[in-house]
Amino acid sequence: MLVIIDCQKQFPAVERVIAPVSREIGRAKKRSEWIMVVTYGGRTVTRIASQLRGYQKVVKVNKDYDDGSAVIFERLFAYHWRKKSALGVKHVGRVRHLRVAGVNTSACVMKTVDGLRRFVRVTVISDACANSANMKSPLSPEIHHKGALRRMAKWNNVTIG
């Protein structure tokens, strides 16, 4: 399953990930994989949303804070506790591996991966992730991005791809 995190226009880094995320969407569609779009109080940029339009294996969830792992798990595994008909949502089946892309690598992506890795294998697609500028930090977004990737590479159950 491909998980796309916070690809919304309010995050400037989204411009740097549109092409690689679009490539990953194409791969997922060819493999007939599920795609989960996780948003943070906004709409996914049009260039990505239009690529998903009409594809039947798309699940959309909204999160209230950086770590989206709880809403992802709620959506993935709710069918274990309730009847599918009572959920009124799509049933994605068993998931053992997630591929993650999106913004911001050193915040939302990293916190979500940290929550996910305890239960499933996670591959972070490094070129499909980016950081926006942090006005409180003298370091560049690229330095934050690379630092987050190095940190996640040390975690159990996480691969940087």
Side-chain angles (χ1 to χ4, degrees):
M1 171 181 264
L2 175 63
V3 177
I4 302 168
I5 300 173
D6 295 341
C7 284
Q8 302 153 230
K9 68 180 178 180
Q10 73 252 37
F11 301 114
V14 75
E15 291 300 320
R16 294 194 300 278
V17 299
I18 288 175
V21 167
S22 293
R23 181 189 69 233
E24 292 301 322
I25 291 169
R27 285 181 183 162
K29 288 166 90 173
K30 281 183 184 175
R31 297 175 184 163
S32 192
E33 291 178 340
W34 282 90
I35 301 171
M36 182 173 287
V37 179
V38 181
T39 56
Y40 185 69
R43 296 174 64 187
T44 302
V45 292
T46 305
R47 288 178 278 175
I48 292 173
S50 64
Q51 193 175 2
L52 297 170
R53 203 167 289 124
Y55 185 61
Q56 295 300 311
K57 292 186 172 185
V58 174
V59 177
K60 297 177 183 176
V61 296
N62 189 45
K63 62 186 175 117
D64 295 324
Y65 38 87
D66 288 355
D67 181 1
S69 64
V71 295
I72 292 169
F73 281 124
E74 179 182 314
R75 194 61 184 265
L76 288 179
F77 300 114
Y79 67 88
H80 285 299
W81 301 291
R82 300 183 192 159
K83 292 180 180 169
K84 181 181 169 189
S85 60
L87 285 174
V89 296
K90 297 176 182 177
H91 182 299
V92 298
R94 179 178 276 182
V95 176
R96 292 187 175 143
H97 179 242
L98 299 172
R99 294 179 303 119
V100 176
V103 297
N104 287 304
T105 317
S106 65
C108 297
V109 171
M110 189 167 70
K111 289 180 181 183
T112 300
V113 167
D114 189 29
L116 295 172
R117 72 187 178 99
R118 290 161 170 66
F119 304 98
V120 294
R121 287 181 302 118
V122 180
T123 299
V124 178
I125 307 162
S126 60
D127 70 332
C129 293
N131 251 48
S132 297
N134 180 345
M135 300 312 243
K136 296 177 184 175
S137 174
L139 302 175
S140 73
E142 189 62 24
I143 290 172
H144 280 283
H145 169 74
K146 288 180 179 179
L149 292 174
R150 279 192 305 275
R151 184 173 179 187
M152 289 185 285
K154 295 176 183 177
W155 292 347
N156 290 334
N157 244 7
V158 176
T159 303
I160 306 300

